Amino acid sequence: MEIRKTVNAKDIMLKYGMYFGVGLVAISVVMYTTGMIYSKSMMVGLAASALNLLVSILAIVYGIKAFKTRNGGFLAMGEALKIGVGIALIGGIISVLYTYVFVNYIEPDFMRKMTELQFENMGELGMDMSNVDIDATVEMSNKMSAFTYISSLVGYLLLGLIVSAIAGAVMKKQEQVY
Protein backbone atom coordinates (compact mmCIF):
# COMPACT_ATOMS: atom_id res chain seq x y z
CA MET A 1 0.00 0.00 0.00
CA GLU A 2 1.31 3.41 -0.98
CA ILE A 3 1.56 6.08 1.70
CA ARG A 4 0.64 9.54 0.49
CA LYS A 5 2.43 12.52 1.91
CA THR A 6 0.17 14.99 3.67
CA VAL A 7 -0.64 18.26 1.99
CA ASN A 8 0.15 21.44 3.90
CA ALA A 9 -3.23 23.17 4.06
CA LYS A 10 -1.69 26.26 5.70
CA ASP A 11 0.27 27.08 2.54
CA ILE A 12 -2.90 26.90 0.45
CA MET A 13 -4.90 28.95 2.96
CA LEU A 14 -2.19 31.61 3.03
CA LYS A 15 -1.78 31.77 -0.75
CA TYR A 16 -5.49 31.93 -1.59
CA GLY A 17 -6.25 34.08 1.45
CA MET A 18 -3.75 36.59 0.06
CA TYR A 19 -5.52 36.45 -3.31
CA PHE A 20 -8.82 37.04 -1.51
CA GLY A 21 -7.58 40.00 0.52
CA VAL A 22 -5.44 41.61 -2.18
CA GLY A 23 -8.32 41.25 -4.65
CA LEU A 24 -10.70 43.07 -2.31
CA VAL A 25 -8.10 45.78 -1.63
CA ALA A 26 -7.46 46.20 -5.36
CA ILE A 27 -11.18 46.73 -6.00
CA SER A 28 -11.29 49.32 -3.20
CA VAL A 29 -8.21 51.13 -4.53
CA VAL A 30 -9.68 51.29 -8.04
CA MET A 31 -12.98 52.58 -6.64
CA TYR A 32 -11.12 55.26 -4.67
CA THR A 33 -8.70 56.37 -7.39
CA THR A 34 -11.45 56.65 -9.99
CA GLY A 35 -13.71 58.57 -7.62
CA MET A 36 -16.43 55.93 -7.87
CA ILE A 37 -16.31 55.40 -4.12
CA TYR A 38 -18.48 58.51 -3.69
CA SER A 39 -20.79 57.73 -6.59
CA LYS A 40 -24.50 58.27 -6.07
CA SER A 41 -25.29 55.52 -8.56
CA MET A 42 -26.71 52.42 -6.96
CA MET A 43 -25.43 50.41 -9.93
CA VAL A 44 -21.82 51.32 -9.08
CA GLY A 45 -22.30 50.08 -5.53
CA LEU A 46 -23.98 46.89 -6.69
CA ALA A 47 -21.24 46.24 -9.27
CA ALA A 48 -18.52 46.73 -6.64
CA SER A 49 -20.33 44.42 -4.21
CA ALA A 50 -20.82 41.78 -6.90
CA LEU A 51 -17.14 41.99 -7.85
CA ASN A 52 -16.10 41.66 -4.18
CA LEU A 53 -18.34 38.61 -3.82
CA LEU A 54 -16.98 37.07 -7.01
CA VAL A 55 -13.36 37.53 -5.92
CA SER A 56 -14.18 36.01 -2.52
CA ILE A 57 -15.97 32.99 -3.94
CA LEU A 58 -13.30 32.33 -6.57
CA ALA A 59 -10.47 32.51 -4.02
CA ILE A 60 -12.20 30.01 -1.73
CA VAL A 61 -13.28 27.59 -4.47
CA TYR A 62 -9.91 27.60 -6.22
CA GLY A 63 -8.14 27.16 -2.87
CA ILE A 64 -10.21 24.10 -2.07
CA LYS A 65 -9.66 22.78 -5.60
CA ALA A 66 -5.88 23.28 -5.24
CA PHE A 67 -5.92 21.30 -2.00
CA LYS A 68 -7.88 18.48 -3.62
CA THR A 69 -5.44 18.38 -6.54
CA ARG A 70 -2.40 18.26 -4.25
CA ASN A 71 -4.12 15.63 -2.13
CA GLY A 72 -4.31 13.10 -4.94
CA GLY A 73 -7.86 14.02 -5.92
CA PHE A 74 -9.29 13.37 -2.46
CA LEU A 75 -11.16 15.89 -0.33
CA ALA A 76 -13.11 15.41 2.88
CA MET A 77 -15.86 17.82 3.87
CA GLY A 78 -13.97 18.84 7.02
CA GLU A 79 -10.89 19.69 4.97
CA ALA A 80 -12.95 21.84 2.61
CA LEU A 81 -14.53 23.72 5.52
CA LYS A 82 -11.18 24.25 7.23
CA ILE A 83 -9.51 25.53 4.07
CA GLY A 84 -12.43 27.75 3.02
CA VAL A 85 -12.81 29.38 6.42
CA GLY A 86 -9.01 29.76 6.68
CA ILE A 87 -8.88 31.53 3.31
CA ALA A 88 -11.77 33.78 4.34
CA LEU A 89 -10.06 34.58 7.67
CA ILE A 90 -6.79 35.61 6.04
CA GLY A 91 -8.52 37.57 3.27
CA GLY A 92 -10.88 39.19 5.77
CA ILE A 93 -8.02 40.29 8.01
CA ILE A 94 -6.24 41.87 5.03
CA SER A 95 -9.43 43.65 3.96
CA VAL A 96 -10.24 44.89 7.47
CA LEU A 97 -6.66 46.15 7.98
CA TYR A 98 -6.80 48.01 4.67
CA THR A 99 -10.17 49.53 5.62
CA TYR A 100 -8.75 50.67 8.96
CA VAL A 101 -5.74 52.31 7.29
CA PHE A 102 -7.94 53.84 4.59
CA VAL A 103 -10.50 55.33 6.97
CA ASN A 104 -7.98 56.57 9.54
CA TYR A 105 -4.99 57.66 7.42
CA ILE A 106 -5.61 57.74 3.67
CA GLU A 107 -9.07 59.33 3.68
CA PRO A 108 -9.82 60.54 7.22
CA ASP A 109 -12.94 62.38 6.01
CA PHE A 110 -14.38 59.23 4.47
CA MET A 111 -17.07 58.68 7.11
CA ARG A 112 -18.18 62.31 6.95
CA LYS A 113 -18.32 62.31 3.14
CA MET A 114 -20.28 59.04 3.03
CA THR A 115 -22.70 60.29 5.70
CA GLU A 116 -23.22 63.55 3.80
CA LEU A 117 -23.83 61.58 0.62
CA GLN A 118 -26.39 59.37 2.36
CA PHE A 119 -28.14 62.37 3.91
CA GLU A 120 -28.14 64.09 0.53
CA ASN A 121 -29.84 61.04 -0.96
CA MET A 122 -32.35 61.08 1.90
CA GLY A 123 -32.97 64.79 1.20
CA GLU A 124 -33.86 63.92 -2.37
CA LEU A 125 -36.48 61.57 -0.95
CA GLY A 126 -37.99 64.43 1.06
CA MET A 127 -36.18 63.82 4.36
CA ASP A 128 -34.32 66.91 5.53
CA MET A 129 -31.17 66.40 7.62
CA SER A 130 -29.03 69.07 9.24
CA ASN A 131 -25.28 69.35 9.84
CA VAL A 132 -25.96 68.48 13.48
CA ASP A 133 -27.46 65.18 12.32
CA ILE A 134 -24.40 64.54 10.15
CA ASP A 135 -22.01 65.30 13.03
CA ALA A 136 -23.96 63.03 15.39
CA THR A 137 -23.98 60.20 12.84
CA VAL A 138 -20.24 60.52 12.16
CA GLU A 139 -19.54 60.56 15.91
CA MET A 140 -21.65 57.44 16.41
CA SER A 141 -19.87 55.73 13.49
CA ASN A 142 -16.51 56.52 15.05
CA LYS A 143 -17.61 55.00 18.36
CA MET A 144 -18.88 51.87 16.59
CA SER A 145 -15.82 51.36 14.37
CA ALA A 146 -14.41 48.41 16.36
CA PHE A 147 -17.78 46.67 16.14
CA THR A 148 -17.89 47.40 12.40
CA TYR A 149 -14.48 45.80 11.83
CA ILE A 150 -15.36 42.75 13.91
CA SER A 151 -18.72 42.30 12.17
CA SER A 152 -17.00 42.59 8.77
CA LEU A 153 -14.59 39.83 9.75
CA VAL A 154 -17.45 37.66 11.02
CA GLY A 155 -19.25 38.27 7.71
CA TYR A 156 -16.19 37.08 5.78
CA LEU A 157 -16.00 33.97 7.97
CA LEU A 158 -19.69 33.19 7.38
CA LEU A 159 -19.19 33.66 3.65
CA GLY A 160 -16.19 31.32 3.82
CA LEU A 161 -18.23 28.73 5.72
CA ILE A 162 -21.13 28.83 3.27
CA VAL A 163 -18.99 28.80 0.12
CA SER A 164 -16.69 26.07 1.42
CA ALA A 165 -19.66 23.94 2.50
CA ILE A 166 -21.13 24.14 -0.99
CA ALA A 167 -17.77 23.64 -2.72
CA GLY A 168 -16.87 20.80 -0.37
CA ALA A 169 -20.18 19.05 -0.99
CA VAL A 170 -19.63 19.30 -4.74
CA MET A 171 -15.92 18.37 -4.75
CA LYS A 172 -15.66 15.85 -1.92
CA LYS A 173 -14.16 12.50 -2.71
CA GLN A 174 -13.28 10.08 0.04
CA GLU A 175 -10.36 7.71 -0.23
CA GLN A 176 -11.50 4.08 -0.15
CA VAL A 177 -9.92 2.06 2.67
CA TYR A 178 -9.84 -1.71 2.22
Side-chain angles (χ1 to χ4, degrees):
M1 181 169 175
E2 179 184 327
I3 298 176
R4 282 188 299 118
K5 68 178 189 174
T6 58
V7 178
N8 189 350
K10 290 179 187 173
D11 291 341
I12 291 172
M13 287 187 277
L14 187 59
K15 178 181 178 180
Y16 287 90
M18 294 290 284
Y19 290 156
F20 184 123
V22 170
L24 296 182
V25 169
I27 293 166
S28 295
V29 168
V30 168
M31 293 285 295
Y32 177 65
T33 57
T34 60
M36 289 191 298
I37 198 165
Y38 298 117
S39 174
K40 285 185 169 186
S41 170
M42 191 164 73
M43 290 307 293
V44 170
L46 287 173
S49 295
L51 197 53
N52 282 337
L53 185 61
L54 180 66
V55 166
S56 304
I57 291 170
L58 288 176
I60 293 167
V61 170
Y62 279 109
I64 293 169
K65 188 175 185 303
F67 177 85
K68 180 180 178 181
T69 301
R70 289 187 193 173
N71 199 36
F74 297 107
L75 176 72
M77 189 64 166
E79 293 168 329
L81 291 172
K82 178 177 79 171
I83 291 165
V85 171
I87 290 169
L89 177 64
I90 292 166
I93 289 170
I94 293 168
S95 180
V96 166
L97 288 174
Y98 167 76
T99 302
Y100 176 81
V101 169
F102 178 79
V103 168
N104 289 293
Y105 301 104
I106 297 171
E107 185 76 2
D109 289 336
F110 176 74
M111 293 307 292
R112 174 172 275 296
K113 288 179 182 178
M114 288 304 291
T115 303
E116 287 172 354
L117 188 64
Q118 289 172 349
F119 280 13
E120 189 176 310
N121 289 340
M122 291 167 70
E124 291 173 5
L125 296 173
M127 299 177 208
D128 192 28
M129 302 294 182
S130 69
N131 282 336
V132 173
D133 295 328
I134 293 173
D135 291 339
T137 303
V138 169
E139 183 64 31
M140 180 62 76
S141 295
N142 290 337
K143 288 180 181 177
M144 300 288 289
S145 64
F147 175 74
T148 302
Y149 297 132
I150 292 168
S151 63
S152 291
L153 193 55
V154 168
Y156 288 125
L157 292 173
L158 286 173
L159 175 68
L161 183 66
I162 293 166
V163 171
S164 61
I166 294 168
V170 170
M171 289 190 257
K172 78 177 177 178
K173 182 178 177 190
Q174 297 289 341
E175 189 171 11
Q176 297 296 322
V177 179
Y178 299 103

